[in-house]
Amino acid sequence: MNEDRPLTRLDMLRFARRVVEHQAARQLALMDRWIADEERREAERRRRIGARQAAEWAIERGLNGRSPVYVHVGGCTGAGGRTRGVGREQAVRALTEEGVPACPLCRPDTALGILE
């Protein structure tokens, strides 16, 4: 700017426009990060659901992540988010030897031929 002349209304409006443009660019970048984060979370959720449905049998873990809560038939709609797929032998062992209860919705004990 020329130091000799005072700022005009037009100069101030142009400055205000640059400020708003800069703030809008920052806000758009922030929203783009939020969108990317949500897309990653959604893809991970879909991957977990797909993995759960692909397994023939599943064991659901408790809130602590260690103690088993239920044995499920793969793809059970009652299975929670802390479920991981297991093989037939591990599902049978969990029901018979480890005393893990069978899910009351999908009844894996009946599907495996084990009755409580």
Side-chain angles (χ1 to χ4, degrees), residues 16-61:
R17 185 188 187 290
R18 285 194 307 271
V19 169
V20 169
E21 185 178 17
H22 176 72
Q23 289 174 342
R26 289 182 59 203
Q27 290 299 316
L28 285 173
L30 179 62
M31 291 194 80
D32 287 342
R33 282 196 309 270
W34 290 346
I35 289 169
D37 290 344
E38 189 60 30
E39 286 172 341
R40 278 192 293 277
R41 280 191 289 273
E42 182 65 20
E44 177 62 22
R45 187 186 69 78
R46 277 194 231 121
R47 186 198 61 77
R48 282 194 316 266
I49 289 172
R52 188 181 328 145
Q53 290 174 347
E56 194 173 349
W57 311 102
I59 294 181
E60 181 178 357
R61 301 285 175 182

